[in-house]
Amino acid sequence: MRASLASSIAVTCAAAIALPVSLAAPAAAEVSPAPGLPSAASALPPALSALPPAPELPGATQSLPLAPLGGTDRALGGGADGTDAQGLTRRDVRPFSLVGVVWDDPTAALHGAVQVRTRATGGDVWSPWQDVETHNEEHGADPETAEGAGRALKGSTAPLWVGDSDGVEIRVRGEEPLPEGLRLELVDPGEDPAAAAPVTRTAAAPGPQAGLNAAEAAVSAVNAQLAAYGATWIPALSKAAVEFTFPYLPRVQEAEFPPQVLPHPETQEQAAVVEPAVAAAPAKPYIGPRPKIITRKGWGADEKIREKGFVYTKSIKAAFVHHSATGNNYTCKQAPSVLRSIYRYHVKSSGWRDFGYNFAVDKCGNIYEGRAGGVAKPVLGAHTLGFNTNSMGIAVLGTFSKSTPPAAAVTAVARLTAWKLGLHGVNPKGTSYLVSGGGNRYKKGSRVRFNAISGHRDGFATECPGVRLYGKLGTARTSSAKYQGRR
């Protein structure tokens, strides 16, 4: 029976999988790229050197400096001299779909209110004033890392998706002196890339073929054991097939920390044990089925704007769930455009090396590859300041402070974590310790115990992922564990 199952799996999955993916990588060490190539030399076939350069992909950013508001706009309570109120009056601009505000000093916070209103492209009706989330410093790379100390870093608000627009007005009021160098960023995601068939691989011609440029092939190569080069999505794989393909997994965390539900640090309620301690590691691996994952090529990431190379951490011990705070006014068809806009805002406006989150989930439950480096690998992200090491970040697109997250999105979080945490031997209902890299809740060097699936607010004093999404994490933990085959 076992032989029959193995044979069946091998035949069914031969086109989608090959050898087991390595789950470990040097801690926070960047894989050195070969000359002229934005990837690890060991991950790329020699033929990549002959590939053409990356083409120009659509997308652009307009950066407009803010100015003191005059006496014509006192709606936000700006002083008479305008020192604590800045903005821009209504104006025509080139098309854009996402807005945000940045400033010179990444360590400075904007304490106040930011509001924008926009005009839909080709129309003459202006939207109501919309709030932009100003508390964004809790995202980003850990302090004292290469990315966290980068010279290109800017302070920034969260981005806000406004849809196709060609007019804008903004006002910013400070509860204290505003940061210097305030600029309005208007991001155009460009048109969706034309869907292309993935490049096939044959025994006679291994590696990327014509149609992939070097930058795209570098990103695709780290997922090559899961999908064909140039694939726009990684296919789903059954639990049995995943466990057959990944027979050896670390079990350290599960044996050390029995499953529990931890209280939120602010409530200090008694933790309720929901599953008895396991005396010994289970005989079989607990890995959920791999969900379908839309690749960076699938959502149209422009690989030439990010920094070259990939940065990894040692393992994945916990998943931090976020909301993107970009608003809920998008359709699932627009989700790739939202991602391209956030990506450009993170890199070109905020100065990050790449998209901050490891994965993203839209309101329909579609799962997207985030930061480049391989979906099955422990890629170091920039999502939970102080706790990016040995963790992964999942952003649910939307704002869930007052809106309830769609069930499809919560299910997607459960399915993704069942697979990815399972690759690292982590029980979704368990707990793990992470060491703080510094933040406003835990000082640097603190050893902190987290639920395996935690909210951003568990590691940093922030509203993220919104009270409504945070309230669904218990459901996600239970479902994720069931997908892994646990009781």
Short mmCIF file of all heavy atoms in Angstrom, two decimals, residues 382-448:
data_model
loop_
_atom_site.label_atom_id
_atom_site.label_comp_id
_atom_site.label_asym_id
_atom_site.label_seq_id
_atom_site.Cartn_x
_atom_site.Cartn_y
_atom_site.Cartn_z
N ALA A 382 10.90 42.11 6.41
CA ALA A 382 10.90 43.41 7.10
C ALA A 382 9.44 43.73 7.42
O ALA A 382 8.82 44.54 6.76
CB ALA A 382 11.53 44.48 6.23
N HIS A 383 8.92 43.05 8.42
CA HIS A 383 7.48 43.13 8.70
C HIS A 383 7.16 43.42 10.16
O HIS A 383 6.22 44.14 10.46
CB HIS A 383 6.79 41.83 8.26
CG HIS A 383 7.47 40.58 8.73
ND1 HIS A 383 7.27 40.05 9.98
CD2 HIS A 383 8.37 39.77 8.11
CE1 HIS A 383 8.01 38.96 10.12
NE2 HIS A 383 8.69 38.77 8.99
N THR A 384 7.93 42.84 11.08
CA THR A 384 7.65 42.99 12.51
C THR A 384 8.91 43.49 13.19
O THR A 384 9.80 42.71 13.54
CB THR A 384 7.21 41.64 13.12
OG1 THR A 384 6.12 41.11 12.36
CG2 THR A 384 6.79 41.81 14.57
N LEU A 385 9.03 44.80 13.34
CA LEU A 385 10.26 45.39 13.84
C LEU A 385 10.69 44.75 15.15
O LEU A 385 9.92 44.69 16.11
CB LEU A 385 10.06 46.90 14.05
CG LEU A 385 11.31 47.69 14.40
CD1 LEU A 385 12.25 47.77 13.20
CD2 LEU A 385 10.96 49.10 14.86
N GLY A 386 11.90 44.23 15.16
CA GLY A 386 12.45 43.58 16.33
C GLY A 386 12.34 42.07 16.32
O GLY A 386 13.06 41.39 17.05
N PHE A 387 11.46 41.53 15.47
CA PHE A 387 11.24 40.08 15.47
C PHE A 387 11.18 39.50 14.07
O PHE A 387 10.44 38.55 13.81
CB PHE A 387 9.96 39.74 16.25
CG PHE A 387 10.05 40.02 17.71
CD1 PHE A 387 9.44 41.16 18.24
CD2 PHE A 387 10.76 39.20 18.57
CE1 PHE A 387 9.52 41.44 19.59
CE2 PHE A 387 10.85 39.47 19.92
CZ PHE A 387 10.23 40.60 20.44
N ASN A 388 11.95 40.04 13.16
CA ASN A 388 12.00 39.49 11.81
C ASN A 388 12.83 38.22 11.72
O ASN A 388 12.60 37.39 10.84
CB ASN A 388 12.57 40.53 10.84
CG ASN A 388 11.63 41.70 10.63
OD1 ASN A 388 10.48 41.53 10.26
ND2 ASN A 388 12.12 42.92 10.88
N THR A 389 13.80 38.06 12.62
CA THR A 389 14.65 36.88 12.62
C THR A 389 13.85 35.66 13.04
O THR A 389 13.12 35.68 14.04
CB THR A 389 15.86 37.08 13.55
OG1 THR A 389 16.62 38.20 13.09
CG2 THR A 389 16.74 35.84 13.58
N ASN A 390 13.99 34.58 12.28
CA ASN A 390 13.34 33.30 12.57
C ASN A 390 11.81 33.40 12.58
O ASN A 390 11.14 32.69 13.32
CB ASN A 390 13.83 32.70 13.88
CG ASN A 390 15.30 32.31 13.82
OD1 ASN A 390 15.83 32.00 12.75
ND2 ASN A 390 15.98 32.34 14.96
N SER A 391 11.28 34.29 11.77
CA SER A 391 9.83 34.41 11.66
C SER A 391 9.46 34.70 10.22
O SER A 391 10.31 34.95 9.38
CB SER A 391 9.30 35.51 12.58
OG SER A 391 9.63 36.80 12.07
N MET A 392 8.16 34.67 9.94
CA MET A 392 7.64 35.04 8.63
C MET A 392 6.50 36.02 8.83
O MET A 392 5.84 36.02 9.87
CB MET A 392 7.14 33.81 7.87
CG MET A 392 6.02 33.05 8.57
SD MET A 392 5.53 31.52 7.75
CE MET A 392 4.31 32.15 6.60
N GLY A 393 6.29 36.90 7.86
CA GLY A 393 5.22 37.88 7.94
C GLY A 393 4.20 37.67 6.84
O GLY A 393 4.56 37.50 5.67
N ILE A 394 2.92 37.66 7.22
CA ILE A 394 1.83 37.49 6.26
C ILE A 394 0.96 38.74 6.33
O ILE A 394 0.43 39.07 7.40
CB ILE A 394 0.96 36.26 6.59
CG1 ILE A 394 1.83 34.99 6.67
CG2 ILE A 394 -0.16 36.10 5.58
CD1 ILE A 394 1.09 33.79 7.24
N ALA A 395 0.79 39.42 5.22
CA ALA A 395 -0.06 40.61 5.18
C ALA A 395 -1.38 40.26 4.51
O ALA A 395 -1.40 39.80 3.37
CB ALA A 395 0.63 41.73 4.41
N VAL A 396 -2.47 40.46 5.22
CA VAL A 396 -3.79 40.35 4.61
C VAL A 396 -4.13 41.72 4.05
O VAL A 396 -4.16 42.72 4.79
CB VAL A 396 -4.84 39.90 5.64
CG1 VAL A 396 -6.21 39.78 4.97
CG2 VAL A 396 -4.45 38.57 6.27
N LEU A 397 -4.35 41.80 2.75
CA LEU A 397 -4.59 43.08 2.11
C LEU A 397 -5.91 43.67 2.59
O LEU A 397 -6.97 43.05 2.44
CB LEU A 397 -4.61 42.92 0.59
CG LEU A 397 -3.32 42.42 -0.06
CD1 LEU A 397 -3.48 42.35 -1.58
CD2 LEU A 397 -2.13 43.29 0.32
N GLY A 398 -5.86 44.85 3.17
CA GLY A 398 -7.03 45.50 3.69
C GLY A 398 -6.77 46.14 5.04
O GLY A 398 -5.64 46.11 5.55
N THR A 399 -7.81 46.71 5.61
CA THR A 399 -7.76 47.33 6.93
C THR A 399 -8.86 46.72 7.78
O THR A 399 -10.04 46.77 7.39
CB THR A 399 -7.96 48.86 6.82
OG1 THR A 399 -6.96 49.39 5.94
CG2 THR A 399 -7.83 49.52 8.19
N PHE A 400 -8.50 46.16 8.93
CA PHE A 400 -9.45 45.38 9.71
C PHE A 400 -9.57 45.86 11.15
O PHE A 400 -9.73 45.08 12.08
CB PHE A 400 -9.08 43.89 9.65
CG PHE A 400 -9.03 43.39 8.23
CD1 PHE A 400 -7.83 43.12 7.60
CD2 PHE A 400 -10.20 43.23 7.52
CE1 PHE A 400 -7.79 42.69 6.28
CE2 PHE A 400 -10.18 42.80 6.20
CZ PHE A 400 -8.97 42.53 5.58
N SER A 401 -9.51 47.18 11.30
CA SER A 401 -9.76 47.79 12.60
C SER A 401 -11.25 47.75 12.93
O SER A 401 -11.64 47.50 14.07
CB SER A 401 -9.26 49.23 12.62
OG SER A 401 -7.90 49.29 12.25
N LYS A 402 -12.09 47.99 11.92
CA LYS A 402 -13.54 48.00 12.10
C LYS A 402 -14.25 47.01 11.19
O LYS A 402 -15.40 46.66 11.45
CB LYS A 402 -14.08 49.41 11.85
CG LYS A 402 -13.52 50.47 12.80
CD LYS A 402 -14.07 51.85 12.47
CE LYS A 402 -13.50 52.90 13.41
NZ LYS A 402 -14.00 54.27 13.07
N SER A 403 -13.57 46.58 10.14
CA SER A 403 -14.17 45.64 9.19
C SER A 403 -13.74 44.21 9.52
O SER A 403 -12.57 43.97 9.84
CB SER A 403 -13.74 45.98 7.76
OG SER A 403 -14.17 47.27 7.40
N THR A 404 -14.67 43.29 9.41
CA THR A 404 -14.38 41.88 9.66
C THR A 404 -13.67 41.28 8.46
O THR A 404 -14.12 41.46 7.32
CB THR A 404 -15.67 41.09 9.93
OG1 THR A 404 -16.33 41.66 11.07
CG2 THR A 404 -15.38 39.62 10.18
N PRO A 405 -12.56 40.58 8.66
CA PRO A 405 -11.86 39.98 7.52
C PRO A 405 -12.70 38.87 6.89
O PRO A 405 -13.39 38.13 7.59
CB PRO A 405 -10.58 39.42 8.15
CG PRO A 405 -10.92 39.20 9.58
CD PRO A 405 -11.88 40.29 9.93
N PRO A 406 -12.68 38.74 5.56
CA PRO A 406 -13.43 37.67 4.91
C PRO A 406 -12.96 36.30 5.38
O PRO A 406 -11.76 36.10 5.65
CB PRO A 406 -13.12 37.89 3.42
CG PRO A 406 -12.69 39.31 3.31
CD PRO A 406 -11.99 39.61 4.60
N ALA A 407 -13.90 35.37 5.46
CA ALA A 407 -13.55 34.01 5.89
C ALA A 407 -12.50 33.39 4.97
O ALA A 407 -11.63 32.64 5.42
CB ALA A 407 -14.81 33.14 5.93
N ALA A 408 -12.57 33.72 3.67
CA ALA A 408 -11.60 33.17 2.72
C ALA A 408 -10.18 33.59 3.06
O ALA A 408 -9.23 32.81 2.89
CB ALA A 408 -11.96 33.61 1.30
N ALA A 409 -10.01 34.81 3.55
CA ALA A 409 -8.68 35.29 3.90
C ALA A 409 -8.16 34.58 5.13
O ALA A 409 -6.98 34.19 5.20
CB ALA A 409 -8.70 36.80 4.12
N VAL A 410 -9.02 34.38 6.14
CA VAL A 410 -8.60 33.67 7.36
C VAL A 410 -8.25 32.23 7.03
O VAL A 410 -7.26 31.68 7.54
CB VAL A 410 -9.71 33.75 8.42
CG1 VAL A 410 -9.31 32.97 9.67
CG2 VAL A 410 -10.02 35.20 8.77
N THR A 411 -9.03 31.60 6.17
CA THR A 411 -8.74 30.23 5.75
C THR A 411 -7.40 30.16 5.03
O THR A 411 -6.62 29.22 5.23
CB THR A 411 -9.86 29.70 4.85
OG1 THR A 411 -11.09 29.67 5.58
CG2 THR A 411 -9.55 28.29 4.34
N ALA A 412 -7.12 31.14 4.18
CA ALA A 412 -5.85 31.16 3.46
C ALA A 412 -4.67 31.28 4.42
O ALA A 412 -3.63 30.63 4.22
CB ALA A 412 -5.83 32.32 2.45
N VAL A 413 -4.81 32.10 5.46
CA VAL A 413 -3.75 32.20 6.47
C VAL A 413 -3.53 30.84 7.14
O VAL A 413 -2.38 30.41 7.36
CB VAL A 413 -4.11 33.27 7.53
CG1 VAL A 413 -3.15 33.21 8.72
CG2 VAL A 413 -4.08 34.66 6.91
N ALA A 414 -4.62 30.14 7.45
CA ALA A 414 -4.51 28.82 8.08
C ALA A 414 -3.83 27.83 7.16
O ALA A 414 -2.96 27.06 7.59
CB ALA A 414 -5.90 28.33 8.48
N ARG A 415 -4.20 27.82 5.89
CA ARG A 415 -3.61 26.86 4.95
C ARG A 415 -2.13 27.16 4.70
O ARG A 415 -1.30 26.25 4.66
CB ARG A 415 -4.37 26.90 3.63
CG ARG A 415 -5.79 26.33 3.72
CD ARG A 415 -6.51 26.42 2.38
NE ARG A 415 -5.82 25.66 1.35
CZ ARG A 415 -5.97 24.34 1.16
NH1 ARG A 415 -6.78 23.65 1.95
NH2 ARG A 415 -5.31 23.73 0.19
N LEU A 416 -1.80 28.44 4.57
CA LEU A 416 -0.40 28.81 4.34
C LEU A 416 0.47 28.45 5.53
O LEU A 416 1.56 27.88 5.38
CB LEU A 416 -0.32 30.31 4.04
CG LEU A 416 1.09 30.90 3.89
CD1 LEU A 416 1.85 30.24 2.77
CD2 LEU A 416 0.99 32.41 3.66
N THR A 417 0.02 28.76 6.74
CA THR A 417 0.83 28.46 7.92
C THR A 417 0.91 26.96 8.19
O THR A 417 1.93 26.48 8.68
CB THR A 417 0.25 29.18 9.15
OG1 THR A 417 -1.14 28.89 9.29
CG2 THR A 417 0.44 30.69 9.05
N ALA A 418 -0.15 26.22 7.87
CA ALA A 418 -0.09 24.76 8.06
C ALA A 418 1.04 24.16 7.24
O ALA A 418 1.75 23.26 7.69
CB ALA A 418 -1.43 24.14 7.66
N TRP A 419 1.22 24.69 6.05
CA TRP A 419 2.29 24.19 5.18
C TRP A 419 3.65 24.75 5.60
O TRP A 419 4.58 23.98 5.88
CB TRP A 419 2.00 24.58 3.73
CG TRP A 419 3.12 24.28 2.79
CD1 TRP A 419 3.57 23.05 2.39
CD2 TRP A 419 3.97 25.24 2.13
NE1 TRP A 419 4.63 23.19 1.53
CE2 TRP A 419 4.89 24.51 1.35
CE3 TRP A 419 4.00 26.64 2.12
CZ2 TRP A 419 5.86 25.15 0.56
CZ3 TRP A 419 4.96 27.26 1.34
CH2 TRP A 419 5.88 26.52 0.57
N LYS A 420 3.76 26.08 5.68
CA LYS A 420 5.09 26.68 5.90
C LYS A 420 5.61 26.39 7.30
O LYS A 420 6.80 26.05 7.47
CB LYS A 420 5.01 28.19 5.65
CG LYS A 420 6.37 28.91 5.71
CD LYS A 420 7.32 28.44 4.64
CE LYS A 420 8.68 29.14 4.73
NZ LYS A 420 8.70 30.46 4.10
N LEU A 421 4.79 26.52 8.33
CA LEU A 421 5.26 26.17 9.68
C LEU A 421 5.55 24.67 9.77
O LEU A 421 6.48 24.25 10.46
CB LEU A 421 4.21 26.57 10.72
CG LEU A 421 3.99 28.06 10.94
CD1 LEU A 421 2.90 28.30 11.97
CD2 LEU A 421 5.27 28.78 11.36
N GLY A 422 4.75 23.87 9.06
CA GLY A 422 4.98 22.43 9.07
C GLY A 422 6.33 22.04 8.50
O GLY A 422 6.95 21.08 8.95
N LEU A 423 6.80 22.78 7.52
CA LEU A 423 8.12 22.50 6.94
C LEU A 423 9.22 22.64 7.99
O LEU A 423 10.30 22.05 7.86
CB LEU A 423 8.42 23.45 5.78
CG LEU A 423 7.52 23.37 4.55
CD1 LEU A 423 8.00 24.37 3.51
CD2 LEU A 423 7.50 21.97 3.98
N HIS A 424 8.96 23.42 9.03
CA HIS A 424 9.95 23.66 10.08
C HIS A 424 9.56 22.99 11.40
O HIS A 424 10.09 23.33 12.45
CB HIS A 424 10.14 25.17 10.27
CG HIS A 424 10.70 25.83 9.06
ND1 HIS A 424 12.05 25.99 8.83
CD2 HIS A 424 10.09 26.35 7.96
CE1 HIS A 424 12.25 26.58 7.67
NE2 HIS A 424 11.07 26.80 7.12
N GLY A 425 8.63 22.02 11.34
CA GLY A 425 8.28 21.24 12.51
C GLY A 425 7.52 22.00 13.57
O GLY A 425 7.57 21.65 14.75
N VAL A 426 6.78 23.05 13.18
CA VAL A 426 6.10 23.90 14.15
C VAL A 426 4.61 23.57 14.20
O VAL A 426 3.94 23.51 13.16
CB VAL A 426 6.30 25.39 13.80
CG1 VAL A 426 5.53 26.28 14.77
CG2 VAL A 426 7.79 25.74 13.83
N ASN A 427 4.10 23.39 15.39
CA ASN A 427 2.67 23.19 15.63
C ASN A 427 1.99 24.56 15.64
O ASN A 427 2.35 25.42 16.45
CB ASN A 427 2.46 22.49 16.97
CG ASN A 427 1.01 22.16 17.26
OD1 ASN A 427 0.09 22.74 16.69
ND2 ASN A 427 0.79 21.22 18.17
N PRO A 428 1.00 24.81 14.77
CA PRO A 428 0.34 26.12 14.75
C PRO A 428 -0.32 26.50 16.07
O PRO A 428 -0.54 27.69 16.32
CB PRO A 428 -0.70 25.96 13.64
CG PRO A 428 -0.16 24.88 12.77
CD PRO A 428 0.52 23.92 13.71
N LYS A 429 -0.65 25.51 16.92
CA LYS A 429 -1.22 25.81 18.23
C LYS A 429 -0.16 25.84 19.32
O LYS A 429 -0.48 25.96 20.50
CB LYS A 429 -2.31 24.80 18.57
CG LYS A 429 -3.53 24.88 17.68
CD LYS A 429 -4.74 24.18 18.27
CE LYS A 429 -4.54 22.67 18.40
NZ LYS A 429 -5.76 22.00 18.89
N GLY A 430 1.10 25.73 18.92
CA GLY A 430 2.20 25.74 19.88
C GLY A 430 2.75 27.13 20.12
O GLY A 430 2.18 28.14 19.70
N THR A 431 3.86 27.20 20.81
CA THR A 431 4.54 28.46 21.10
C THR A 431 6.03 28.33 20.83
O THR A 431 6.57 27.22 20.81
CB THR A 431 4.33 28.89 22.57
OG1 THR A 431 4.89 27.88 23.43
CG2 THR A 431 2.86 29.08 22.88
N SER A 432 6.67 29.45 20.62
CA SER A 432 8.11 29.49 20.37
C SER A 432 8.69 30.74 20.99
O SER A 432 7.99 31.74 21.21
CB SER A 432 8.40 29.48 18.87
OG SER A 432 7.98 28.30 18.25
N TYR A 433 9.99 30.70 21.27
CA TYR A 433 10.71 31.86 21.77
C TYR A 433 11.45 32.55 20.64
O TYR A 433 12.11 31.90 19.81
CB TYR A 433 11.71 31.46 22.86
CG TYR A 433 11.10 31.25 24.22
CD1 TYR A 433 10.90 29.96 24.71
CD2 TYR A 433 10.72 32.33 25.00
CE1 TYR A 433 10.33 29.76 25.96
CE2 TYR A 433 10.16 32.14 26.25
CZ TYR A 433 9.96 30.86 26.72
OH TYR A 433 9.39 30.66 27.96
N LEU A 434 11.37 33.87 20.60
CA LEU A 434 12.15 34.69 19.69
C LEU A 434 12.91 35.73 20.52
O LEU A 434 12.43 36.14 21.59
CB LEU A 434 11.26 35.39 18.67
CG LEU A 434 10.46 34.51 17.71
CD1 LEU A 434 9.54 35.37 16.85
CD2 LEU A 434 11.37 33.66 16.84
N VAL A 435 14.05 36.16 20.02
CA VAL A 435 14.86 37.16 20.71
C VAL A 435 14.63 38.52 20.05
O VAL A 435 14.78 38.67 18.83
CB VAL A 435 16.35 36.79 20.68
CG1 VAL A 435 17.18 37.89 21.35
CG2 VAL A 435 16.58 35.45 21.36
N SER A 436 14.29 39.51 20.85
CA SER A 436 13.98 40.84 20.32
C SER A 436 15.22 41.53 19.78
O SER A 436 16.28 41.53 20.41
CB SER A 436 13.35 41.70 21.42
OG SER A 436 13.18 43.03 20.97
N GLY A 437 15.04 42.15 18.62
CA GLY A 437 16.10 42.98 18.06
C GLY A 437 15.94 44.44 18.44
O GLY A 437 16.69 45.29 17.98
N GLY A 438 14.95 44.72 19.31
CA GLY A 438 14.69 46.09 19.76
C GLY A 438 13.36 46.59 19.25
O GLY A 438 13.01 46.39 18.10
N GLY A 439 12.60 47.23 20.14
CA GLY A 439 11.29 47.76 19.76
C GLY A 439 10.67 48.47 20.94
O GLY A 439 11.28 48.64 21.99
N ASN A 440 9.41 48.89 20.79
CA ASN A 440 8.77 49.66 21.85
C ASN A 440 8.06 48.82 22.89
O ASN A 440 7.58 49.34 23.89
CB ASN A 440 7.81 50.70 21.25
CG ASN A 440 6.59 50.06 20.60
OD1 ASN A 440 6.47 48.83 20.52
ND2 ASN A 440 5.70 50.89 20.11
N ARG A 441 7.96 47.50 22.67
CA ARG A 441 7.36 46.62 23.67
C ARG A 441 8.40 45.78 24.40
O ARG A 441 8.30 45.56 25.60
CB ARG A 441 6.32 45.70 23.00
CG ARG A 441 5.57 44.84 24.01
CD ARG A 441 4.58 43.90 23.34
NE ARG A 441 3.46 44.60 22.74
CZ ARG A 441 2.44 45.11 23.43
NH1 ARG A 441 2.41 45.02 24.74
NH2 ARG A 441 1.45 45.70 22.79
N TYR A 442 9.41 45.33 23.68
CA TYR A 442 10.44 44.49 24.28
C TYR A 442 11.82 45.05 23.92
O TYR A 442 12.11 45.28 22.74
CB TYR A 442 10.33 43.04 23.78
CG TYR A 442 9.01 42.39 24.12
CD1 TYR A 442 8.04 42.21 23.13
CD2 TYR A 442 8.72 41.97 25.41
CE1 TYR A 442 6.82 41.61 23.43
CE2 TYR A 442 7.51 41.38 25.72
CZ TYR A 442 6.56 41.20 24.73
OH TYR A 442 5.35 40.61 25.03
N LYS A 443 12.65 45.23 24.93
CA LYS A 443 13.97 45.78 24.67
C LYS A 443 14.84 44.75 23.96
O LYS A 443 14.58 43.54 24.01
CB LYS A 443 14.62 46.24 25.97
CG LYS A 443 14.92 45.12 26.96
CD LYS A 443 15.56 45.68 28.24
CE LYS A 443 15.90 44.56 29.23
NZ LYS A 443 16.52 45.09 30.46
N LYS A 444 15.86 45.24 23.33
CA LYS A 444 16.77 44.38 22.58
C LYS A 444 17.37 43.31 23.48
O LYS A 444 17.79 43.57 24.61
CB LYS A 444 17.89 45.21 21.95
CG LYS A 444 18.85 44.39 21.10
CD LYS A 444 19.91 45.27 20.47
CE LYS A 444 20.88 44.42 19.64
NZ LYS A 444 21.92 45.26 19.02
N GLY A 445 17.38 42.07 22.99
CA GLY A 445 17.94 40.95 23.73
C GLY A 445 16.93 40.19 24.56
O GLY A 445 17.24 39.11 25.07
N SER A 446 15.70 40.72 24.69
CA SER A 446 14.67 40.03 25.47
C SER A 446 14.26 38.74 24.76
O SER A 446 14.07 38.73 23.54
CB SER A 446 13.44 40.91 25.65
OG SER A 446 13.76 42.10 26.33
N ARG A 447 14.10 37.69 25.54
CA ARG A 447 13.63 36.41 24.99
C ARG A 447 12.13 36.34 25.24
O ARG A 447 11.68 36.31 26.38
CB ARG A 447 14.37 35.25 25.66
CG ARG A 447 14.18 33.89 25.00
CD ARG A 447 15.23 32.91 25.51
NE ARG A 447 15.06 31.59 24.93
CZ ARG A 447 14.49 30.57 25.56
NH1 ARG A 447 14.04 30.73 26.80
NH2 ARG A 447 14.37 29.39 24.96
N VAL A 448 11.36 36.33 24.16
CA VAL A 448 9.91 36.49 24.26
C VAL A 448 9.21 35.26 23.70
O VAL A 448 9.57 34.75 22.64
CB VAL A 448 9.44 37.75 23.49
CG1 VAL A 448 7.94 37.96 23.69
CG2 VAL A 448 10.23 38.97 23.93
#
